[in-house]
Amino acid sequence: SSELTQDPAVSVALGQTVRITCQGDSLRSYYASWYQQKPGQAPVLVIYGKNNRPSGIPDRFSGSSSGNTASLTITGAQAEDEADYYCNSRDSSGNQEVFGGGTKLTVL
Amino acid sequence: QVQLQESGPGLVKPSQTLSLTCTVSGGSISSGGYYWSWIRQHPGKGLEWIGYIYYSGSTYYNPSLKSLVTISVDTSKNQFSLKLSSVTAADTAVYYCARLTRGDRDFWSGYFTGWFDPWGQGTLVTVSS
């Protein structure tokens, strides 16, 4: 399968914890990477591999994986975390890159 | 610090060929280990991977676009390019170039990993007569 499925929208109260999920058969063999995109800007990598953060990404961002589901967790969400979040992985063949449909995160 | 910058026409007529170039600075395409990629985003929509090229010239394309896409590399200029033929209004999108890293298989889990970083700022291409 070449599909990654994300919830279209999620909301979280300021300072609370939110989990954004990504489902797909390929996630049983491939870690997802996660990207944050704010309006009018290019996506920014926030999590890759098992649970790695690029330099400059706050440690409130973390990643995990179980079965066919990858998760991005934001612990203590901040107003500046309001954005669209996309997961990415390879398809089951290992050749094609695929993105989830994106999750719009609203911080209340 | 590697940086990527897209360039090319912002307006293309239907049935013509869309051509974009991505210039890489702060690192060499020829150094190997990375897959130089194109990704697009239709207005208000999600991300769509178009394809990638390795510095050696090996390519892989999204099957849904394969017949229309050509990605090439010019190592002497540290650039790679995208050509999308026979465009229609449906090809109107922001086009991004990005560097794809495919990491080693995790010893404990057996999982593979990969990520796109960095990205260019993106360039809007409108297909219209």
Side-chain angles (χ1 to χ4, degrees):
Chain A
S1 170
S2 60
E3 292 187 352
L4 296 177
T5 302
Q6 297 182 241
D7 292 328
V10 171
S11 62
V12 61
L14 184 67
Q16 296 304 301
T17 296
V18 62
R19 177 174 292 182
I20 298 170
T21 61
C22 174
Q23 290 188 304
D25 290 342
S26 64
L27 298 178
R28 298 182 185 278
S29 301
Y30 300 102
Y31 286 122
S33 54
W34 291 93
Y35 304 86
Q36 177 192 70
Q37 186 179 35
K38 296 182 179 179
Q41 298 182 18
V44 173
L45 176 69
V46 294
I47 290 289
Y48 66 98
K50 188 174 183 179
N51 181 19
N52 300 297
R53 284 176 289 106
S55 174
I57 301 301
D59 61 5
R60 63 179 180 270
F61 290 88
S62 63
S64 62
S65 184
S66 178
N68 73 335
T69 302
S71 300
L72 172 69
T73 300
I74 306 174
T75 304
Q78 302 300 302
E80 61 264 32
D81 300 334
E82 187 163 287
D84 294 328
Y85 290 85
Y86 294 92
C87 62
N88 153 249
S89 183
R90 282 185 250 181
D91 73 344
S92 297
S93 74
N95 292 316
Q96 180 181 350
E97 296 290 325
V98 292
F99 287 93
T103 298
K104 182 176 182 60
L105 176 66
T106 300
V107 180
L108 303 171
Chain B
Q1 178 180 351
V2 174
Q3 294 183 312
L4 285 68
Q5 177 68 59
E6 306 88 350
S7 60
L11 181 64
V12 181
K13 288 182 167 51
S15 79
Q16 293 191 342
T17 296
L18 178 159
S19 296
L20 295 174
T21 295
C22 183
T23 300
V24 179
S25 59
S28 173
I29 283 181
S30 300
S31 62
Y34 303 107
Y35 299 82
W36 303 93
S37 306
W38 288 98
I39 296 155
R40 70 179 181 180
Q41 186 170 35
H42 295 102
K45 303 297 184 183
L47 301 169
E48 179 182 30
W49 173 73
I50 298 171
Y52 62 63
I53 189 165
Y54 197 61
Y55 80 98
S56 61
S58 299
T59 55
Y60 197 87
Y61 303 133
N62 186 325
S64 68
L65 298 169
K66 185 176 181 179
S67 63
L68 301 172
V69 172
T70 302
I71 298 176
S72 59
V73 65
D74 187 337
T75 55
S76 67
K77 294 182 179 179
N78 223 30
Q79 296 175 333
F80 62 105
S81 299
L82 169 70
K83 290 189 185 298
L84 181 64
S85 62
S86 304
V87 296
T88 70
D91 294 307
T92 293
V94 175
Y95 287 77
Y96 296 100
C97 58
R99 185 182 70 177
L100 169 65
T101 300
R102 285 184 165 172
D104 293 332
R105 190 172 190 175
D106 184 272
F107 178 82
W108 298 108
S109 68
Y111 276 42
F112 294 93
T113 187
W115 61 93
F116 291 98
D117 182 65
W119 295 61
Q121 66 184 25
T123 187
L124 174 63
V125 179
T126 301
V127 178
S128 174
S129 56

